[in-house]
Amino acid sequence: MELRQRRGAVTPRQGKDGEEGKGQDEKAKVKEAFQPRVQSFLVTKSVILRLLGLIYAVAFKVAYDQNLALLGSAGLTPVAERFELRKQQMGSSRAVEGFIAAPSIFWFVSLNDDSMQLVAVVGMALSLALICGFFSSLLCAALWLLYFSIVTSGEGTAWYAYGWESQLLETGFLAIFLSSPVH
């Protein structure tokens, strides 16, 4: 059945005042009003994640440069023995419980000078990917876990007892939810 507009007749798309498609026009205006906001959120997200990547890069570079002298086997406060003792106290079957208590990949991988340096190098590479615009929540989670591994291994020393490590870990954790799972 074809609807035609007659003189004085009201069609389903026409209001009492004869304004055709008024509801659709309002929806279009609302959509247009929110479009710049969506774009500005994308720009803000991009800036935040890129700057976070830069901060992670600096943190991993500092860890690469200083961890051997501070936390390494010949460093000022060697942490490998202390972490291995903690693992033994938890028991070999309780690595998952240890991980839940203090997230670190060193519950599953031996903590030594080479592994500490490898974590720092991988962290620098992943943070460069974040700086270049690869905004993935999986990448942010990996960066968070790698840095948390370094902080957890240095727990109880004077070297990782400052507030900025905690702030970076908190911000990095929130960034996981700011990104999509894959880019």
Side-chain angles (χ1 to χ4, degrees):
M1 176 177 175
E2 185 177 326
L3 295 175
R4 295 183 202 168
Q5 184 176 359
R6 300 181 194 160
R7 282 187 228 175
V10 177
T11 63
R13 294 181 49 99
Q14 188 178 24
K16 291 181 181 179
D17 300 336
E19 297 176 13
E20 191 169 324
K22 182 178 180 181
Q24 290 179 350
D25 289 342
E26 288 177 7
K27 287 180 185 178
K29 287 179 184 177
V30 169
K31 188 176 181 180
E32 289 175 16
F34 283 110
Q35 194 66 6
R37 284 188 175 174
V38 170
Q39 292 298 323
S40 69
F41 289 141
L42 292 176
V43 170
T44 304
K45 174 180 136 178
S46 174
V47 169
I48 288 171
L49 290 175
R50 287 175 195 266
L51 290 176
L52 182 63
L54 179 65
I55 294 169
Y56 266 129
V58 169
F60 283 115
K61 175 70 169 124
V62 168
Y64 181 79
D65 290 340
Q66 296 182 349
N67 273 354
L68 291 182
L70 300 176
L71 306 174
S73 59
L76 296 174
T77 53
V79 295
E81 295 85 19
R82 191 172 63 238
F83 201 79
E84 289 300 321
L85 179 64
R86 183 192 276 181
K87 281 172 131 178
Q88 290 173 0
Q89 289 172 349
M90 292 291 289
S92 62
S93 64
R94 300 194 175 209
V96 174
E97 291 177 18
F99 180 82
I100 291 170
S104 173
I105 62 169
F106 297 122
W107 287 104
F108 308 104
V109 177
S110 176
L111 174 61
N112 55 41
D113 293 349
D114 293 334
S115 63
M116 281 196 309
Q117 292 299 85
L118 182 63
V119 165
V121 169
V122 170
M124 282 189 283
L126 293 179
S127 61
L128 288 176
L130 192 60
I131 292 169
C132 291
F134 186 73
F135 305 136
S136 165
S137 60
L138 299 175
L139 175 66
C140 291
L143 284 166
W144 176 81
L145 180 60
L146 289 173
Y147 196 67
F148 210 153
S149 297
I150 292 172
V151 171
T152 300
S153 67
E155 192 175 52
T157 66
W159 316 118
Y160 283 100
Y162 298 105
W164 84 277
E165 287 92 0
S166 299
Q167 182 64 48
L168 178 55
L169 288 170
E170 291 170 6
T171 306
F173 184 77
L174 292 175
I176 294 169
F177 304 103
L178 187 62
S179 320
S180 60
V182 289
H183 181 65

